[in-house]
Amino acid sequence: MVTQPVVVEGTLTVNVPQDRAWSFLKHPASLSACIPGVSNITARQDGTFRATVEVAISVLKAQFDMQVRIAEEQPLSCLVAEMSGSDAKTGTLLKTRNRVDLTPKNSGQTRIAFRIDAVLSGKLAALGGGMAVKLHSRRMARAFAATLKQNMEAREG
């Protein structure tokens, strides 16, 4: 089975104070609305979440049933979530560790840095020798950052 590690990092500055940015990120519905392909977020009694993640790379489409758990939390400054799941149709497995760091800036702004460490195994990982996955991941990260900024600032305004 082909395995493809992918690391995506980004930073952005939002015109929102750190405490409000943190509140936005801690709200599953707000945050999931910013992540391309994510739907059906449901909280479970054990504190974890389930989510559906749809991905289309080249001619292959996958729908992952993901388990999400908060692995680390430092209120107002750091949130780490781990996700794992599979797509039955393609036999592809996806595991991620997602870290978001918030730093206050002048004038009520917040710098948000994110890092996604993902491992994809199966048919999707093999596309284009892995290059298709890396390119798609970068596009998703740019879309996430732009939507996060827009949604966070719209809520503030």
Side-chain angles (χ1 to χ4, degrees):
M1 180 182 311
V2 175
T3 299
Q4 181 65 49
V6 178
V7 176
V8 179
E9 296 178 291
T11 60
L12 63 144
T13 298
V14 294
N15 295 313
V16 176
Q18 184 180 13
D19 62 333
R20 292 198 184 111
W22 175 259
S23 178
F24 184 95
L25 292 172
K26 284 286 295 171
H27 191 265
S30 298
L31 180 59
S32 66
C34 301
I35 304 170
V38 172
S39 62
N40 302 323
I41 299 288
T42 55
R44 299 174 69 176
Q45 288 189 343
D46 63 0
T48 64
F49 299 88
R50 290 184 70 109
T52 301
V53 178
E54 293 182 17
V55 177
I57 301 175
S58 187
V59 297
L60 286 180
K61 292 182 181 180
Q63 182 172 314
F64 295 92
D65 179 25
M66 303 295 287
Q67 304 294 319
V68 183
R69 78 175 189 88
I70 303 301
E72 182 182 335
E73 184 176 338
Q74 297 169 11
L76 300 183
S77 63
C78 177
L79 184 64
V80 178
E82 294 178 339
M83 300 176 19
S84 63
S86 62
D87 172 62
K89 187 172 74 175
T90 63
T92 302
L93 305 173
L94 174 63
K95 288 186 178 187
T96 70
R97 182 171 172 87
N98 313 293
R99 181 182 178 107
V100 179
D101 292 292
L102 289 79
T103 307
K105 294 185 73 169
N106 295 334
S107 306
Q109 296 180 319
T110 303
R111 178 183 181 269
I112 299 174
F114 63 91
R115 178 182 169 110
I116 302 162
D117 290 283
V119 176
L120 195 64
S121 302
K123 286 184 182 179
L124 283 178
L127 287 175
M131 188 53 67
V133 171
K134 290 179 182 177
L135 291 172
H136 184 74
S137 298
R138 289 184 193 124
R139 280 194 299 271
M140 285 182 68
R142 285 192 299 272
F144 165 72
T147 305
L148 180 67
K149 181 175 177 61
Q150 179 182 0
N151 291 0
M152 201 177 274
E153 290 177 354
R155 179 187 256 185
E156 192 65 11

